[in-house]
Amino acid sequence: MKRMLSGIKPTGELTLGNYLGALKHFVNYQDTYEMFVFIANLHTITVYQDPKQLAKHLKDAATLYLASGLDPEKATVFLQSDVLEHTQLSFILSCNTYLGEMNRMTQYKDKVSQGETNLTVGFYSYPTLMAADILLYDADFVPVGNDQKQHVEITRDIAERFNNRYSKTFVVPEPLIPIAGARIMSLSDPTKKMSKSDADNKGVIYMLDSPAQIKKKIVAAKTDSLNKIQYDPEKQPGISNLIQIMAACQEVPIAHVVAAYEDANYGTFKKAVAEVVIDTLAPIQARYHEINQSDLMEKTLAAGKAKAQRIAAKKLVEVQKKIGIEIRE
Ligand code: TYM
């Protein structure tokens, strides 16, 4: 069975973008792949987080993983900081990564171009931690939304460089980008990604939003004055985003949604999208509340930690021998 690994960085409440671009696919893939899914809690602190809020977001994210359908019998679900090998391998990989490569990372370049001057060293070097997350487990595939593709690509470069320098050690992973849902945009500014750290929460649907909140946000979504339901992200980014959301929720092609609503006006279409999103999230929310009353999340993380540690420890010893820092046989 091929191995797959992915993670989410809960710097806020998980969004519909996280669900449609990532989580939903983890659940679909868990029957076909040996699946590893973790909470990237170390990644969250590359930018300051209020400790109390952060702990709540991490707990909610772990619960939402399970509520979305990740099955601890099938998938290994764990907390990144429980496996210390991630940070150790990250340092080793950072010694095999060039400053020029980090300088080319889009997320870093974006922050710099926005005039951000208080960037941390952790933020700058976080792609090497992400590479460690992936390479420790010999993952063949990494399912991610579009915005994370560059990080998987640098992981491939680092793995190939290491394998060439020290002989074959790492599996070179492939990114898996979904066809629908790869880039869900903000409802209030459909030229921007829907993001959990967005200050304008009118544009963001959170997985735990109530039906009334969801409806309000979708009905108020920014559209255009063309009054034609067609998929054209350039000219009609708002409508195209809503089409994408519906297609991803229903797991149908975009053309199917366009054909079904061709003659509808925007008001009718928005109401229909809201209903589909509410129906998609309702069973997850119900399960979230149930899991919150049980110890399933804690038990899952304990079992996940044990399994992940075994695999990671073995890989790290192999790496340390290859580079010559392990002096015992
Ligand atoms: P993060 O937390 O930003 O996002 C988690 C996943 O959700 C996807 N995603 C979206 N997909 C579609 N539309 C959106 N608006 C949207 N917003 C987010 C992301 O593409 C991602 O798949 N660095 C990673 C976490 C990470 C990781 C890893 C992932 C750490 N180590 C190892 C894979 C493998 C991150 O910040 O994702």
Side-chain angles (χ1 to χ4, degrees):
M1 213 183 215
K2 293 267 187 196
R3 203 174 266 180
M4 184 173 269
L5 172 137
S6 200
I8 295 183
K9 172 185 72 173
T11 42
E13 290 177 45
L14 297 195
T15 69
L16 185 67
N18 294 132
Y19 180 68
L20 296 177
L23 203 40
K24 181 176 161 69
H25 304 283
F26 305 167
V27 175
N28 287 341
Y29 286 133
Q30 68 185 340
D31 292 314
T32 334
Y33 295 92
E34 190 191 355
M35 190 79 195
F36 289 77
V37 185
F38 67 100
I39 305 277
N41 59 346
L42 290 170
H43 283 267
T44 63
I45 57 164
T46 54
V47 173
Y48 174 79
Q49 307 291 324
D50 174 77
K52 271 216 183 92
Q53 272 193 357
L54 177 59
K56 160 102 174 80
H57 291 147
L58 296 175
K59 195 170 165 228
D60 275 354
T63 309
L64 280 170
Y65 276 18
L66 298 171
S68 298
L70 275 176
D71 177 352
E73 300 289 321
K74 295 179 186 163
T76 305
V77 180
F78 67 101
L79 193 60
Q80 184 184 30
S81 63
D82 273 347
V83 186
L84 302 182
E85 284 78 2
H86 286 239
T87 40
Q88 178 125 341
L89 182 62
S90 170
F91 181 76
I92 294 171
L93 296 181
S94 74
C95 299
N96 287 276
T97 307
Y98 296 102
L99 293 179
E101 290 176 303
M102 292 291 102
N103 292 341
R104 283 196 292 276
M105 291 285 110
T106 308
Q107 289 193 352
Y108 168 73
K109 284 201 313 198
D110 283 354
K111 289 266 185 204
V112 172
S113 71
Q114 286 157 14
E116 179 71 58
T117 48
N118 283 332
L119 289 178
T120 65
V121 175
F123 180 85
Y124 180 69
S125 64
Y126 105 70
T128 61
L129 179 57
M130 180 151 163
D133 298 336
I134 299 168
L135 299 179
L136 266 180
Y137 298 92
D138 285 331
D140 299 287
F141 296 106
V142 183
V144 281
N146 211 20
D147 61 321
Q148 294 296 323
K149 190 164 169 239
Q150 194 188 28
H151 292 139
V152 182
E153 276 159 5
I154 191 153
T155 301
R156 290 171 58 84
D157 293 345
I158 297 171
E160 275 165 4
R161 176 174 312 133
F162 192 102
N163 287 347
N164 289 335
R165 263 191 194 157
Y166 298 107
S167 83
K168 173 108 182 72
T169 310
F170 295 124
V171 169
V172 180
E174 301 265 351
L176 267 192
I177 315 288
I179 299 168
R183 197 167 164 77
I184 303 295
M185 310 308 274
S186 158
L187 299 174
S188 48
D189 178 358
T191 60
K192 270 181 30 199
K193 189 186 82 159
M194 184 183 283
S195 160
K196 42 183 146 43
S197 41
D198 202 334
D200 166 23
N201 69 16
K202 286 199 216 67
V204 183
I205 293 177
Y206 297 101
M207 288 182 72
L208 294 173
D209 273 352
S210 68
Q213 284 170 313
I214 295 171
K215 195 162 175 201
K216 195 167 166 208
K217 288 176 187 178
I218 293 182
V219 167
K222 187 169 176 208
T223 47
D224 50 69
S225 50
L226 294 176
N227 235 332
K228 177 127 190 65
I229 295 182
Q230 55 190 0
Y231 189 74
D232 185 343
E234 285 278 303
K235 291 203 195 87
Q236 292 180 262
I239 282 296
S240 302
N241 188 37
L242 294 176
I243 294 173
Q244 196 198 175
I245 290 174
M246 190 180 247
C249 285
Q250 296 187 319
E251 301 190 17
V252 298
I254 280 179
H256 186 107
V257 174
V258 175
Y261 289 92
E262 222 161 25
D263 300 322
N265 64 35
Y266 285 1
T268 311
F269 180 57
K270 281 175 165 178
K271 280 200 195 107
V273 175
E275 242 163 67
V276 167
V277 172
I278 291 167
D279 288 350
T280 302
L281 294 179
I284 299 174
Q285 296 179 352
R287 189 84 191 106
Y288 164 88
H289 293 297
E290 259 171 53
I291 297 170
N292 253 341
Q293 304 301 314
S294 76
D295 59 0
L296 181 66
M297 191 265 283
E298 288 78 5
K299 277 198 176 137
T300 302
L301 293 184
K305 171 181 177 176
K307 180 160 179 206
Q309 273 180 339
R310 268 198 312 278
I311 297 170
K314 200 161 156 235
K315 193 77 199 177
L316 187 66
V317 170
E318 184 191 344
V319 168
Q320 298 198 154
K321 284 191 174 154
K322 288 268 175 93
I323 60 179
I325 64 170
E326 173 57 68
I327 55 175
R328 290 150 301 191
E329 272 309 303

